[in-house]
Structures are given as C-alpha cells and as structure tokens.
C-alpha cells in the first residue's frame, strides 16, 4: 500500500502559495529536447512524479540530466541515443512514451519500440490520431502483440516528409507527436484542426528557440517547416493552470482566501468566467491571482468541458465538488473524455447529490451522443459532505477527493497518494501552509517494479486515462 493522507476538514484555507510549473508542458519539453544533441536548460521545473518518470525515461534513451530540485532547474543533453526501445515498465506510467515516436524518428534509423497499455488502437485509450498522422509523414508503424501487452514498432527508413494532416479531433497528444516529427521532416507540414492548448504553445515556443520554424495560423492550423539547425535552449516552464484551478476551488469552497503567486490570467479565462457565474471572488494582481469566498455561492450553471479555449476537462472533477457547495442545480457535460465521472460515486457516498446521464445535457450534442457513456452530470447543492476512506483512482479525481475531504468536518483517509504525487508538487506542504489539517502517513516502500505493476493493473482494470 502507498502512503496515506489523513485530512480533517472544515477549516477555511487562508494564505499564499506559489504555483508550480506545468506538468503537461514540462513532460513534453523533456521529450522535445531529444530532437537535438544540444543542451536544454529549463527553469520553473515542477518536482512531481510525472517529471521524475519522464526524466528516467530520457536517461534510458541516453540523456544526461542534471536536476536541481531546490532551484527548480533542469539541464538535459542527449549527445547520442543509447537505445530507441522504451522499456515496458513505462507503458502504464503516463501518456508520454507514445510521444517518443515523434521525437526520435528523425534522429535514428533504428526501430523505435513503444509498449502500450492494453493493445487496441481503437480501444478506450486510442492513439489512432497519433499513428495516422505519423504515417502520413512517412513513418512505418506496426502494432505487435507481445507476451502480456502490445507495442508499436516505428521507423522512418526513407525519411520523413512534410504533409497536410487533418486531425478529426484536436487531440493534444496527437498534435504534439505530429509537431515533434514534423520538425525533422523535409519540407512543410500543416496540421489542420490542431489542438492549441497553452501547453502546446509552450512547446512551440521551446521548439522555436531550438531551431524550428512554426506558425500557429487561424482556424487551428499549425504550420511547421523542416529545421536545418539546432541551438542550445533556455526555457522557463509556464505555470500549471490545473494546479492553480485546484487550489482556487479549495479556497472558495472552504470559504477562505488564497493568493496564488504565478497564476496567469491568460490561461484561466474560461475558468474565471465560471467562478464569477457561481459568485466566487477573484482579483487578478500583477504577480498572480487571489481567490476568495464572496458570500453565498449560487449554482444553476451549465459547463461544457472542451478543447482550448473552452473549459478544461481537468478542472471538471474539483469543480463538481465546488458545485456541491452552491445552492441550486448545475449541469456538467463532459465532451473530451467519455469516462471521466467515475469519481462521482464516492462523492455521492460523502453526501453529494449527483446524478449521471448518458445523454448530452446542455446546448450541443457531442461525439459521445449515441455511445451510452455516462458523460453528463447534474449536481444539486448545497450539501454537507462527510468524511470517508477513499482510494484514489486517478490524478484529477484524486484532487477532487482531497477537496471533498477538506470540506468534511471529520477525518478522511485517502490512499493511492502516488497519483497525486504525479501532478501536484508538495501538496501536503502547500495545504498545510494554507491552514489545512492534513498529514501524510508514510508506508513502507514496495519494490518500484511492483508499484508500477500495481498502478498499471489498476489503470487497465478501470480503463482509466493517465493524464
Ligand atoms: C492531454 C492532457 C490531459 C488533458 C487532455 C485534454 C497531458 C499529459 N495530458 O491528454 O491532462 O485532459 O490533454 O486537454 O498533457 N483521442 C483519440 N485518438 C487519439 C488521441 C486522442 O480518439 O489518437 C481522444 C481521447 O480518447 C480523448 C480525446 O481525444 O477522448 C482527448 O485526448 P487528447 O487531447 O489526446 O489528450 P491527451 O493528450 O491524452
């Protein structure tokens, strides 16, 4: 069993914290650094599990990494590739290994081998958009069944060549993978219907410093030219907008006041609009954003998660906890993932009034309209929440449970804390600084290999998406 959190809720969170660098940017930038043999120096690097996993993966491939965790800086240089085989133990860790295909294909003639969770290209965690786009650029990719799992084998023996790629959904990962491959592809690549999340813009900023010519055009089109020369790069990671939103919602729901240093207004527009709609308070300051409880919180809102610049799917889980503290009935329509309401059952057991629906509730129908997935949710409030013993199933649901426990006046015990460590830097330290009554109960460590396998099986069993 991993470490536990004991949380006694009921206290308003007050004070100031500093936001960390973005998990969803930093992990991709490490992979992007593999495109060249030049040194890359990163600042504002978050000390989180997903960065640790990605650093280890890069080291396996041949990178030399110096990570000064105290100062949040990291230097990485990959003079030569030691291997282009991603060991199987990384397959269930996160969504990073598949990006190795895009990053390494222009750098080696060897097969790039990336094991996967499950083995179905079109299954519950598909990578079809990645594969189709890379094939259009000239990659040869095949899927092979291995003993217990599958793996993608990829190479570009005849070189990569620019192409026009039309994504039928603006997938973040597929856009990133295609950009990475296109940087080393001859000629010009156009990605139509590309994802334009702020983390992708951060990747583009990094790649431009590295030597790429990339333009984000109107209508979600990204244009990438073949890079002829690479340079050393120094880059400061953007703020983690998921972490900012998470603590913001804790501040408002516990009737507190928290200043988040480094919170960037530009990345939070859709989130701030919804905070204003429910009557939450915020003040944008030159160096961050302050969030506070501003009297009665009102429900009656409709939220549709969407690709950027819409309301981010990762904000949805803690927002539902926040809505349990508002008066009235609100609707959430999840249009990005078909299975992201698994956490609602536990919230119901804690006292939340929630119902799930397979229909698209709200303004528009989404691509899950006829699929029978529970992807709409109605929440009524206000509801007092009660403590519970909870096992975390994934990162964002995990934070939703922490938030629910902060609202329950008794002691909740939360297990599978490893999931939170993957995305939240010093969670206990930050919440303690804000006055929360939270303790981490350290459990004896298992062999790391066994821990990975446990996580892997949990994810496979529940068809969850590690994000
Ligand atoms: C990234 C983020 C995650 C965020 C998500 C959407 C990271 C590490 N994770 O995940 O926090 O919630 O973007 O903003 O950056 N899809 C396909 N085929 C594909 C790829 C994706 O059908 O080949 C589908 C997925 O099943 C999902 C949707 O597209 O329903 C969105 O996925 P995608 O945008 O690719 O998310 P990730 O990059 O995995």
């Amino acid at each position: 069993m991993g470490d536990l959190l004991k949380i006694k809720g009921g206290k308003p969170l007050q004070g100031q914290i500093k936001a960390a660098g973005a998990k969803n940017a930093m992990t991709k930038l490490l992979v992007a650094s593999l495109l060249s043999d030049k040194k890359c120096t990163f600042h504002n690097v978050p000390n989180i599990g997903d960065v640790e996993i990605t650093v280890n993966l890069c080291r396996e491939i041949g990178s030399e990494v110096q990570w000064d965790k105290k100062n949040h800086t990291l230097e990485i240089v990959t003079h030569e590739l030691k291997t282009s085989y991603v060991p199987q133990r990384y397959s269930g860790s996160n969504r990073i290994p598949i990006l190795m295909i895009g990053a390494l294909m222009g750098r080696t003639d060897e097969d790039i081998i990336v094991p996967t969770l499950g083995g179905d290209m079109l299954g519950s965690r598909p990578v079809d958009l990645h594969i189709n786009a890379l094939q259009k650029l000239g990659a040869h990719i095949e899927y092979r069944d291995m003993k217990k799992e599958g793996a993608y084998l990829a190479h570009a023996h005849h070189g990569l060549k620019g192409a026009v790629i039309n994504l039928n959904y603006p997938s973040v990962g597929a856009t990133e993978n295609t950009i990475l491959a296109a940087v080393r592809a001859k000629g010009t690549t156009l990605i139509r219907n590309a994802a334009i999340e702020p983390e992708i813009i951060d990747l583009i900023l990094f790649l431009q410093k590295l030597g790429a010519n990339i333009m984000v055009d109107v209508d979600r089109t990204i244009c990438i030219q073949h890079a002829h020369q690479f340079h050393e790069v120094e880059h400061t990671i953007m703020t983690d907008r998921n972490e900012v939103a998470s603590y913001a919602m804790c501040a408002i729901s516990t009737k507190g006041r928290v200043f988040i240093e480094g919170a960037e207004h530009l990345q939070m527009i859709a989130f701030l609009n919804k905070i204003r709609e429910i009557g939450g308070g915020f003040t944008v300051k030159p160096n961050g954003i302050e969030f506070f409880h501003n009297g009665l919180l009102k429900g009656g809102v409709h939220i549709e998660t969407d690709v950027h610049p819409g309301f981010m799917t990762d904000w949805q889980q803690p927002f539902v906890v926040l809505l349990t503290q508002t008066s009235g009935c609100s609707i959430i329509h999840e249009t990005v993932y078909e299975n992201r309401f698994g956490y609602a059952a536990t919230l119901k057991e804690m006292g939340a009034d929630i119902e799930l629906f397979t229909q698209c509730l709200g303004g528009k129908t989404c691509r899950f309209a006829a699929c029978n997935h529970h992807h709409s949710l109605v929440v009524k409030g206000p509801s007092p929440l009660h403590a519970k013993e909870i096992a975390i199933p994934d990162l964002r649901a995990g934070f939703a449970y922490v938030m629910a426990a902060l609202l329950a006046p008794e002691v909740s015990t939360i297990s599978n804390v490893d999931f939170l460590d993957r995305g939240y830097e010093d969670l206990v330290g930050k919440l303690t600084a804000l006055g929360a009554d939270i303790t981490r109960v350290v459990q004896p460590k298992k062999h790391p290999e066994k821990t990975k396998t446990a996580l892997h099986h949990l994810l496979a069993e529940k068809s969850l998406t590690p994000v």
Side-chain angles (χ1 to χ4, degrees), residues 20 42 84 206 240 275 300 332 344 354 413 428 451 467:
F42 296 107
S84 53
F206 167 82
D240 197 312
I275 290 294
I332 307 236
I354 293 176
T413 305
V428 172
T451 312
V467 286

Side-chain angles (χ1 to χ4, degrees), residues 23-24 27-28 95-96 124-130 169-174 176 197 242 312-314 336-338 340 367-368 465 467:
K23 163 179 102 67
N24 289 355
T27 44
K28 320 302 174 61
R95 298 288 272 163
I96 300 304
S124 60
R125 292 180 46 219
V127 287
D128 55 323
L129 301 173
H130 298 240
Y169 183 80
S171 148
V172 171
E176 291 163 340
E197 266 56 13
N242 292 321
M312 199 188 179
T313 166
D314 299 49
V336 179
Y337 288 100
E338 72 270 30
R340 260 200 153 174
R367 65 208 162 103
F368 308 131
T465 312
V467 286

Side-chain angles (χ1 to χ4, degrees), residues 408-429:
E410 316 85 16
V411 178
S412 294
T413 305
I414 301 181
S415 57
N416 290 341
V417 177
D418 292 3
F419 280 109
L420 289 168
D421 295 338
R422 283 184 31 214
Y424 290 93
E425 177 177 319
D426 190 21
L427 177 83
V428 172

Side-chain angles (χ1 to χ4, degrees), residues 3 13 18 23 36 48 74 85 89 93 96 106 137 165 168 195-196 199 203 232 258 264 279 356 375-376 390 392 427:
D3 293 355
L13 296 193
K18 191 173 183 310
K23 163 179 102 67
S36 92
I48 52 172
L74 186 152
Y85 170 65
R89 65 180 178 282
S93 314
I96 300 304
L137 292 175
I165 316 275
N168 61 26
I196 49 164
E199 294 78 10
L203 173 67
E232 288 196 354
V258 172
E264 291 171 39
L356 298 180
H375 73 293
S376 291
I390 314 168
I392 292 178
L427 177 83

